[in-house]
Amino acid sequence: MSVFTTAYTTDKLTLGQRRVMLAAVDADGRLPDGVNQRVLNNIPESWARTDAAAGGRFLTAEGRAALAPLGRFSLLARSNPETGAMPGTTGHSDMLALVRDGLTVLQDREGRPVPVADRWELGNSLRITERGRRLVGMPLAAPPLAERHPVGSRAMWKREGEPARPVHILGWPLADGTVRVLPEGARLSYAESMERSVPAEQIRPAPQGPKTTVTTRSDDRRKTMADRAPELPLDDELEALRGLAAAAVKPMTPRAETWEQVKALEERATAGYELAERFTEFDQRATADRWAPQEWRRGRDLSSEQVEELIEKWPDLAALGSTFVRNLAAAGFAPFQMANLVKQVQGRRGLPEIQPGDVVEAILAGGGEPRTIRLKVDRTPWPGGPDSTVLSDGTAVTAVVTASVRVVEDDGTTTARLVIDES
């Protein structure tokens, strides 16, 4: 772990000191010239040392730790250097502090900044900024080691006097010469399997020989988060989660030796940790995916009787056919969405030729239950939107669905006004 991560100071920064030291982060650690001299004098040498040869003062490791104490520095250092995404869940107070100092930014799916009040909106995520990268010593562009060992690749961690161990690369080398890795192996203890920062010079290329195949089992605890396929079908993933849950609560052997009990506890802890990580990702995918497992699925399986009742209630669905309606319902489409689909397709046919004095029948626009009206128009209809048309009977105007408009015979009856005072 970086020395910056564990550094801590009990002294709090003033607003002036914080502003000046954050500006120094943007300037490669050099405190800016021309700022209030009283503020500069109040910044201790332990935070910003004086370098007479270079002609200025420069932030120290302790000064950087004062800007992001305790776990905040660790959160920034563990950010994905390629996407900028912050790891895990960031506490609310930590998030406010990091965004306030410009070290992180809250963005939506399109990468646009959003207010911190929208943190829990679906798709919004916290990402490290260029200032945050400079603070923790994360390169702004991929260094040579990252090109040889990109994020997500496998390599070997070779320490002097110890055998090489396979690891999973989680980040880029930082300014202190360390890189975050996740050790891999079937017989690692819980502590040994946790991610850590190791000297980048100890990373070696992984051997290119054929890999030993591992029997694929839904509850195989030897597979780490990086080993499993990211696009595993959700139904298969659900079975794997059930296997991990069973392993996490597996009872220990009665009257077992102490070392056996410790080993069993480590296995249960490993299974529980992986279960929590995988379930969080699984729940997000299942919530957004129409073809989620049955327990999470937004759609529903309709019987033949239910399909007939749905078509009777929504006549527009007859154009789709019972099989298509059943498939759309299973995919999560609501009845009004199916009806809109039909209307959008039929709306491309255009309007029939309508003259003033014609009696027109159409479905009232605006969503909700379909309602049919009949009007004697006093002028030629005109477009009211992508899928709607406006009819006028001389008293008021009414918006109707374009695809439903048709000219009928004049039998002397018209529908009572459903929409008034729209002129």
Side-chain angles (χ1 to χ4, degrees):
M1 189 66 67
S2 169
V3 294
F4 300 150
T5 304
T6 55
Y8 176 66
T9 175
T10 57
D11 297 329
K12 292 185 178 180
L13 295 170
T14 65
L15 293 179
Q17 290 172 335
R18 180 176 296 276
R19 184 166 55 252
V20 172
M21 293 172 67
L22 287 174
V25 173
D26 299 332
D28 294 329
R30 188 179 190 277
L31 268 61
D33 298 325
V35 298
N36 190 302
Q37 190 63 38
R38 181 174 59 85
V39 174
L40 290 177
N41 294 338
N42 287 334
I43 299 178
E45 282 289 321
S46 60
W47 288 355
R49 59 176 176 79
T50 302
D51 190 336
R57 298 183 66 186
F58 296 83
L59 285 180
T60 64
E62 187 174 340
R64 294 175 183 269
L67 290 172
L70 297 179
R72 294 177 192 168
F73 199 104
S74 177
L75 287 172
L76 294 170
R78 292 168 54 209
S79 301
N80 188 313
E82 295 181 350
T83 64
M86 298 287 286
T89 302
T90 306
H92 185 69
S93 59
D94 287 336
M95 179 201 68
L96 294 179
L98 292 173
V99 173
R100 174 201 64 194
D101 294 340
L103 303 176
T104 61
V105 61
L106 188 65
Q107 296 179 341
D108 58 14
R109 288 177 175 174
E110 286 72 31
R112 297 181 296 239
V114 295
V116 292
D118 299 337
R119 178 188 182 183
W120 302 113
E121 293 292 331
L122 187 63
N124 293 350
S125 59
L126 202 63
R127 299 183 183 277
I128 189 172
T129 62
E130 181 176 329
R131 173 181 285 180
R133 290 173 181 262
R134 292 181 183 276
L135 179 64
V136 298
M138 183 182 296
L140 303 181
L145 181 71
E147 296 178 359
R148 298 193 303 271
H149 303 289
V151 176
S153 64
R154 291 173 176 79
M156 301 299 292
W157 175 26
K158 182 63 175 72
R159 292 173 290 179
E160 185 177 357
E162 296 187 17
R165 174 181 297 179
V167 293
H168 195 76
I169 303 297
L170 300 181
W172 290 349
L174 300 182
D176 61 357
T178 63
V179 59
R180 286 189 310 112
V181 299
L182 179 67
E184 298 179 351
R187 299 182 178 276
L188 296 179
S189 66
Y190 178 72
E192 292 174 338
S193 63
M194 299 297 291
E195 68 176 62
R196 65 197 62 204
S197 294
V198 302
E201 60 186 13
Q202 296 179 358
I203 299 299
R204 302 288 186 271
Q208 301 298 322
K211 297 181 180 180
T212 305
T213 54
V214 178
T215 304
T216 303
R217 302 186 318 185
S218 59
D219 61 342
D220 193 349
R221 296 188 301 278
R222 290 174 294 177
K223 298 178 68 177
T224 64
M225 292 289 293
D227 290 330
R228 60 188 177 87
E231 295 299 331
L232 188 68
L234 289 172
D235 289 289
D236 296 340
E237 180 70 5
L238 181 59
E239 290 299 320
L241 291 175
R242 286 170 176 161
L244 286 173
V249 298
K250 181 180 179 181
M252 290 185 291
T253 305
R255 296 183 297 276
E257 297 290 340
T258 302
W259 69 269
E260 293 177 332
Q261 295 181 8
V262 172
K263 186 175 184 297
L265 287 174
E266 289 180 348
E267 291 179 349
R268 291 174 63 176
T270 302
Y273 180 79
E274 183 177 353
L275 174 64
E277 291 283 346
R278 292 176 66 169
F279 182 82
T280 300
E281 179 184 353
F282 170 81
D283 188 30
Q284 295 174 351
R285 290 177 57 198
T287 302
D289 197 334
R290 292 188 181 276
W291 298 108
Q294 188 64 36
E295 291 86 343
W296 276 264
R297 187 173 298 171
R298 291 189 290 172
R300 59 194 192 283
D301 296 326
L302 301 179
S303 63
S304 300
E305 294 75 14
Q306 290 175 317
V307 172
E308 293 177 0
E309 293 176 1
L310 195 62
I311 293 178
E312 183 178 354
K313 186 177 181 180
W314 298 79
D316 289 337
L317 305 187
L320 298 175
S322 59
T323 301
F324 197 14
V325 169
R326 183 179 292 107
N327 291 338
L328 289 177
F333 281 81
F336 77 91
Q337 292 175 312
M338 302 183 202
N340 288 340
L341 181 64
V342 175
K343 293 171 184 176
Q344 289 177 6
V345 175
Q346 292 179 342
R348 300 178 184 276
R349 302 175 183 174
L351 282 172
E353 185 176 353
I354 299 176
Q355 301 296 332
D358 289 343
V359 177
V360 177
E361 189 176 78
I363 296 177
L364 192 65
E369 295 289 339
R371 305 177 66 178
T372 303
I373 63 172
R374 177 176 293 190
L375 299 175
K376 178 178 286 188
V377 299
D378 67 335
R379 67 191 72 175
T380 302
W382 61 93
D387 303 311
S388 64
T389 296
V390 180
L391 304 178
S392 171
D393 62 355
T395 303
V397 294
T398 306
V400 298
V401 178
T402 302
S404 65
V405 177
R406 65 190 185 94
V407 179
V408 298
E409 295 183 2
D410 186 2
D411 58 1
T413 61
T414 56
T415 305
R417 302 299 310 140
L418 299 177
V419 181
I420 60 176
D421 298 333
E422 294 187 2
S423 57

